[in-house]
Amino acid sequence: MALTETQKAEVRRFLGYSDLSRGGVSILEAVLIALSPEAEVQVVAVLADLTAIEVRLRASWPLQVAKRAEEVELWGWEGIMALRMEGNRLAAMLGSILGVPVLVPPFTAGGGAVGSTIRG
């Protein structure tokens, strides 16, 4: 049971790889082709969890309301941050299963990539 092209595209997206890398000669593409059936099951499970987190984050957007009029403070940010952290943890797990780095953590606001220096 090889991964579908849609599942491969999801792997690329969650790991921060360009879709233009598909079909090319790269470690990720080689790994996606050579996955064992057992690893494919793991990848599909992690993709399902990542998609579920994405859905929950999108569902939380309209729930953000001000709880004080003087200073705007949003309710629920702790839960949103927990979902983002879990999503990034799962993306790291996906990268670990595949043996490739996560180029851009999918649930991190802002940039940052492997080999980048960010000054603050």
Side-chain angles (χ1 to χ4, degrees):
M1 155 191 125
L3 294 175
T4 67
E5 291 304 313
T6 299
Q7 289 168 325
K8 291 177 184 178
E10 288 177 347
V11 166
R12 286 185 212 100
R13 182 172 64 87
F14 282 122
L15 295 180
Y17 287 76
S18 167
D19 190 59
L20 297 177
S21 68
R22 75 186 185 294
V25 179
S26 74
I27 294 172
L28 177 60
E29 295 304 311
V31 169
L32 290 175
I33 292 168
L35 276 180
S36 69
E38 296 80 12
E40 287 176 3
V41 170
Q42 292 175 345
V43 167
V44 170
V46 172
L47 287 176
D49 289 344
L50 286 165
T51 300
I53 287 173
E54 231 176 17
V55 167
R56 288 183 64 191
L57 282 171
R58 284 189 186 130
S60 73
W61 294 344
L63 301 177
Q64 297 299 300
V65 296
K67 69 177 183 179
R68 276 189 283 167
E70 304 87 44
E71 295 178 38
V72 175
E73 189 173 332
L74 300 178
W75 282 105
W77 67 270
E78 298 96 344
I80 290 171
M81 291 308 297
L83 284 172
R84 288 177 185 253
M85 287 172 50
E86 178 64 4
N88 287 334
R89 184 190 73 78
L90 288 168
M93 179 188 298
L94 181 61
S96 178
I97 291 168
L98 298 172
V100 297
V102 177
L103 295 182
V104 180
F107 297 100
T108 301
V114 173
S116 296
T117 302
I118 300 173
R119 299 177 73 183

